[in-house]
Amino acid sequence: MSVRRVTSQDVAEHAGVSQSAVSRVFTPGASVSKKMEARVRASAEALGYRPNVLARSLITGRSRIIGLVVAYLDNQFYPEALERLSRALQAEGYHVLVFMSREGEDLDEVIQEILDYQVDGIVAASVSMSDELARRCRAAGKPVVLFNRGQEDAGLAQVTSANRAGGRKVAAHFVAAGHKRIAHISGWAGSMTGRDRAAGFAEGLKAAGVPLLEIVDGEYRWERAAEAARWLMAEIKPDAIFVGNDVMAFSVMDTLRFELGLRVPQDVAVVGYDDVAMAAWPAYDLTTVRQPADRMVRATVELLLERIETPSAAPRRIEIDGPLVRRGSTSAEVKA
Amino acid sequence: MSVRRVTSQDVAEHAGVSQSAVSRVFTPGASVSKKMEARVRASAEALGYRPNVLARSLITGRSRIIGLVVAYLDNQFYPEALERLSRALQAEGYHVLVFMSREGEDLDEVIQEILDYQVDGIVAASVSMSDELARRCRAAGKPVVLFNRGQEDAGLAQVTSANRAGGRKVAAHFVAAGHKRIAHISGWAGSMTGRDRAAGFAEGLKAAGVPLLEIVDGEYRWERAAEAARWLMAEIKPDAIFVGNDVMAFSVMDTLRFELGLRVPQDVAVVGYDDVAMAAWPAYDLTTVRQPADRMVRATVELLLERIETPSAAPRRIEIDGPLVRRGSTSAEVKA
DNA sequence: AGGGTTTTTGCAGAGGTATGCAAAATGCCG
DNA sequence: CGGCATTTTGCATACCTCTGCAAAAACCCT
């Protein structure tokens, strides 16, 4: 019943060599003669041997596992990023072990579990980390990269898009189109991404001398965004709304069109943030600031590997700029 | 620089007991006195000790890792399922190691890599497995569960929704609404899910004596679905289209409305399959057959754990029925 | 051929934990 | 308090691989 695994010892016996020799054949960069390599590989092939990654990690101290903490996958941006991240790491010989956490729930337990697996590094996507946790990861020698969520305090590596600049781009776009009544449904105020986008937007409007009539926290939630839209249209009556991410922007557009009977962009212009695949679909055709998932993921992998190779390297912060993608949810005409 | 890990040996010395004692404290069901437990836990706490999952797995033969193979995450159904799967397994003390593969690409390399990690089981989502691969997993004693993709030949455990029945439900719905010109843009013909939905749909129409004018393979791809819709409207002019999944249905609706200027459901009724979150959004308001991700995931976990506990258990197949969810993309009125 | 260099190989120990077995400790009862 | 049954503990070994070190082999050059 029990399945006997094929071990390097078995291969060694079959090939009539020592176990060390087998190990060396499967260790890149080790010293093995051509002849030895051929013999061992033949035996390994015959027996169907492959090194046990876990046993190997025990001695090398490298598991080739990266822990990923993520709170939810219903914002399209995250599956997209996860897919790319997984592929990129796979190409480097690493694999992603997934840990779901809930916003608000204490990360402690989750991080402990991650560390139990002796991961080589941790990517925390859209979750914030307490200083205490960061300290513990440092103590364990595990590099952490925050993905798409900045943090002021802790000395953590992080990759974000240029959220502040993005907010300014949206402001400039609204101003150029001549909008006067402008509002913002922000990303969760507890997140730096949300705050930065809002801050950049406010800055940009201020610089142009156009007032920002109202900011409502949409908490990155579909339902909250819809409520915010209803309230804004009842109380403020803006003619342009910048929404903190695409998913909320879709919610806002649906509310405007199907519940309030308004036209986008003629009655209200809407801009989102992320540029997920759906933003380009005709039903929404959403003007939005692109977060270049591809480049963000590449930067994340780079940072992670850098710190795995060189644990002494200081944690860096990388910010990636993304363009404003103009589509039909904002009008093209520029008023003078 | 190098971070000395805290081991059970360290805890043992600190507590003045043997290493075995420490091990037993952290092994559920082992024999330890109250006093011993308290002492060890105190020392463990003081030193910040937690058992090394990898070292443990070396001796128990259980890694508490489940390998997940998935081809793409851009169909919303999969991130949804992945999130639930990960949470459900987490609750059972397992974790998901992600392996991205590409449709068509040979799974061989991927499966080998999975096995290298000594996973306790494998979930293959929307990928088909060759008999050879299935054989190899069996040889390695690793249970495999196919998620949302059936397969006739191999004796593999699998969880699917009742695709055939689902297809019939759609047929009945169209027939009841009095549609006469009916077409189908199917899921990829190379997948059993796609074939079953199409077969059920055809059966249902045949039983009602309504012809199925055309079937086009949409390959589960957004762009292919749009092309299929253009072609159908040019050549066949159906008044009702059943589309093999929601994502393709969205594409079809967009093409009908924004490219061809047709109204849904007045000119053409559209039905999808999956009931992803977006299907309920007002912009689409799509009638669709629900795949109960929750129950499908629960069944998957059940099957997996069952076979991990009892390797001799025969692989079972579970089919989960889902309702037709009526929404605005099909008309309500039933003609006599 | 011989001596020195370099390469290749095997030996043995380590990495962190679980567990069968025997010894020690505890509990029970008369 | 003695004797026996039961529980708890420690010892030693196993899991599978990598790697430093020293021995063996191969190579090179005169």
Side-chain angles (χ1 to χ4, degrees):
Chain A
M1 188 74 278
S2 70
V3 189
R4 258 268 303 153
R5 291 193 283 244
V6 182
T7 74
S8 57
Q9 187 59 51
D10 300 333
V11 177
E13 280 164 21
H14 184 272
V17 300
S18 75
Q19 181 271 327
S20 332
V22 179
S23 170
R24 275 190 269 260
V25 168
F26 288 95
T27 306
S31 160
V32 220
S33 67
K34 290 282 172 209
K35 206 161 33 167
M36 173 68 85
E37 162 130 32
R39 263 174 78 183
V40 169
R41 286 213 184 273
S43 293
E45 185 79 18
L47 300 180
Y49 169 77
R50 302 202 103 209
N52 178 330
V53 177
L54 268 35
R56 172 179 280 176
S57 82
L58 191 54
I59 189 159
T60 60
R62 296 285 175 82
S63 62
R64 311 210 69 92
I65 297 177
I66 302 294
L68 170 71
V69 194
V70 61
Y72 46 84
L73 293 176
D74 45 10
N75 175 353
Q76 270 297 91
F77 180 70
Y78 291 105
E80 253 177 60
L82 164 55
E83 177 170 342
R84 288 171 205 272
L85 181 69
S86 184
R87 288 194 201 278
L89 286 172
Q90 226 163 299
E92 302 282 346
Y94 289 85
H95 288 278
V96 172
L97 194 63
V98 176
F99 295 77
M100 300 297 308
S101 100
R102 297 187 186 283
E103 192 83 69
E105 184 194 43
D106 63 334
L107 273 184
D108 271 57
E109 189 48 41
V110 176
I111 294 284
Q112 284 293 12
E113 284 183 41
I114 295 192
L115 294 177
D116 292 349
Y117 278 92
Q118 313 297 120
V119 297
D120 288 345
I122 299 177
V123 175
S126 73
V127 278
S128 5
M129 266 185 119
S130 71
D131 290 1
E132 164 59 13
L133 270 172
R135 195 198 55 69
R136 198 149 35 181
C137 291
R138 211 173 310 124
K142 302 303 177 191
V144 177
V145 178
L146 298 179
F147 180 85
N148 201 30
R149 175 79 45 109
Q151 206 158 320
E152 281 126 358
D153 38 7
L156 292 168
Q158 56 187 53
V159 175
T160 59
S161 67
N163 291 304
R164 225 181 173 89
R168 280 195 300 264
K169 284 175 195 175
V170 178
H173 182 60
F174 280 164
V175 169
H179 290 289
K180 302 287 186 224
R181 302 193 55 77
I182 299 179
H184 179 37
I185 297 175
S186 73
W188 182 45
S191 72
M192 200 176 342
T193 44
R195 289 199 304 272
D196 280 353
R197 288 170 197 175
F201 186 57
E203 264 171 45
L205 290 183
K206 183 159 196 182
V210 178
L212 175 50
L213 300 183
E214 188 72 43
I215 302 185
V216 187
D217 189 347
E219 298 173 17
Y220 290 132
R221 304 205 48 76
W222 163 271
E223 196 42 63
R224 305 282 313 144
E227 288 165 16
R230 275 177 218 122
W231 183 85
L232 278 180
M233 295 321 293
E235 305 291 328
I236 313 289
K237 304 199 195 343
D239 62 359
I241 306 178
F242 169 38
V243 189
N245 74 2
D246 284 354
V247 174
M248 290 196 300
F250 299 143
S251 173
V252 169
M253 286 179 74
D254 278 354
T255 304
L256 294 176
R257 287 172 167 169
F258 300 103
E259 204 178 304
L260 306 177
L262 297 167
R263 291 165 308 159
V264 177
Q266 294 86 342
D267 298 323
V268 188
V270 176
V271 173
Y273 212 108
D274 280 346
D275 196 24
V276 298
M278 282 171 51
W281 292 4
Y284 293 106
D285 199 28
L286 178 69
T287 296
T288 186
V289 180
R290 173 172 299 153
Q291 293 212 87
D294 216 28
R295 283 162 57 207
M296 288 176 69
V297 164
R298 277 210 301 275
T300 302
V301 171
E302 185 188 319
L303 246 50
L304 208 50
L305 297 188
E306 167 181 311
R307 299 201 53 218
I308 290 173
E309 308 295 331
T310 322
S312 55
R316 294 194 294 148
R317 296 171 171 222
I318 297 186
E319 208 184 57
I320 292 176
D321 197 41
L324 178 82
V325 182
R326 286 153 208 249
R327 297 208 185 88
S329 70
T330 55
S331 54
E333 86 259 15
V334 177
K335 300 176 195 170
Chain B
M1 188 72 279
S2 70
V3 189
R4 258 265 306 151
R5 293 192 280 243
V6 182
T7 73
S8 56
Q9 187 59 49
D10 300 333
V11 178
E13 280 163 22
H14 185 272
V17 300
S18 76
Q19 179 269 326
S20 330
V22 179
S23 170
R24 276 190 268 261
V25 168
F26 288 94
T27 305
S31 159
V32 220
S33 67
K34 289 283 170 207
K35 205 162 35 166
M36 172 68 86
E37 162 129 30
R39 264 175 78 183
V40 170
R41 287 214 185 273
S43 294
E45 187 79 19
L47 300 180
Y49 168 77
R50 302 202 102 208
N52 180 329
V53 177
L54 267 36
R56 173 178 278 177
S57 82
L58 193 54
I59 188 160
T60 60
R62 295 284 176 82
S63 61
R64 312 210 68 93
I65 296 176
I66 301 294
L68 170 71
V69 194
V70 60
Y72 47 84
L73 293 176
D74 45 11
N75 174 354
Q76 272 296 87
F77 180 70
Y78 289 105
E80 254 177 60
L82 164 55
E83 177 170 341
R84 288 171 205 272
L85 181 69
S86 184
R87 289 195 201 279
L89 286 173
Q90 226 163 298
E92 302 282 346
Y94 289 85
H95 288 279
V96 172
L97 194 63
V98 175
F99 294 79
M100 301 296 309
S101 101
R102 296 187 187 284
E103 192 84 70
E105 184 194 42
D106 63 334
L107 274 183
D108 271 56
E109 190 47 42
V110 176
I111 293 283
Q112 284 293 12
E113 284 184 42
I114 295 191
L115 294 177
D116 292 350
Y117 278 91
Q118 312 298 120
V119 298
D120 288 346
I122 298 175
V123 175
S126 74
V127 278
S128 4
M129 264 185 120
S130 71
D131 290 0
E132 165 59 14
L133 271 171
R135 195 198 54 70
R136 198 149 37 182
C137 291
R138 212 173 310 126
K142 303 303 178 191
V144 177
V145 178
L146 298 179
F147 180 84
N148 202 29
R149 176 77 45 109
Q151 207 157 322
E152 281 127 359
D153 38 8
L156 292 168
Q158 56 188 52
V159 175
T160 59
S161 66
N163 291 305
R164 225 183 174 86
R168 279 195 300 264
K169 284 176 194 174
V170 178
H173 182 58
F174 280 164
V175 169
H179 290 289
K180 302 288 184 223
R181 301 194 56 78
I182 299 179
H184 179 38
I185 297 175
S186 72
W188 183 45
S191 71
M192 197 168 355
T193 44
R195 288 198 304 272
D196 280 353
R197 288 168 197 176
F201 186 58
E203 263 170 47
L205 290 183
K206 183 158 194 180
V210 178
L212 175 50
L213 300 183
E214 188 72 43
I215 303 185
V216 187
D217 188 347
E219 298 171 18
Y220 290 132
R221 303 205 50 76
W222 164 269
E223 196 41 63
R224 305 282 314 145
E227 288 166 16
R230 276 176 217 123
W231 183 86
L232 278 180
M233 294 321 293
E235 304 292 328
I236 312 289
K237 304 199 194 342
D239 61 0
I241 306 179
F242 168 39
V243 189
N245 74 2
D246 284 354
V247 174
M248 290 197 299
F250 300 142
S251 172
V252 168
M253 286 178 74
D254 277 355
T255 303
L256 294 176
R257 287 172 168 169
F258 299 103
E259 204 178 303
L260 306 178
L262 297 168
R263 292 165 308 158
V264 176
Q266 296 85 342
D267 298 323
V268 187
V270 176
V271 173
Y273 211 108
D274 279 347
D275 196 23
V276 298
M278 281 172 52
W281 293 4
Y284 292 106
D285 197 27
L286 178 68
T287 296
T288 186
V289 179
R290 174 171 299 154
Q291 293 212 88
D294 217 28
R295 283 162 58 207
M296 287 176 70
V297 164
R298 278 210 300 276
T300 303
V301 171
E302 184 188 320
L303 245 50
L304 208 49
L305 297 188
E306 167 181 311
R307 299 202 54 217
I308 290 174
E309 308 296 332
T310 322
S312 55
R316 292 194 294 146
R317 296 172 171 220
I318 297 186
E319 208 184 57
I320 292 177
D321 197 40
L324 178 82
V325 182
R326 285 153 208 249
R327 299 207 183 89
S329 70
T330 54
S331 53
E333 85 259 17
V334 177
K335 301 175 195 170

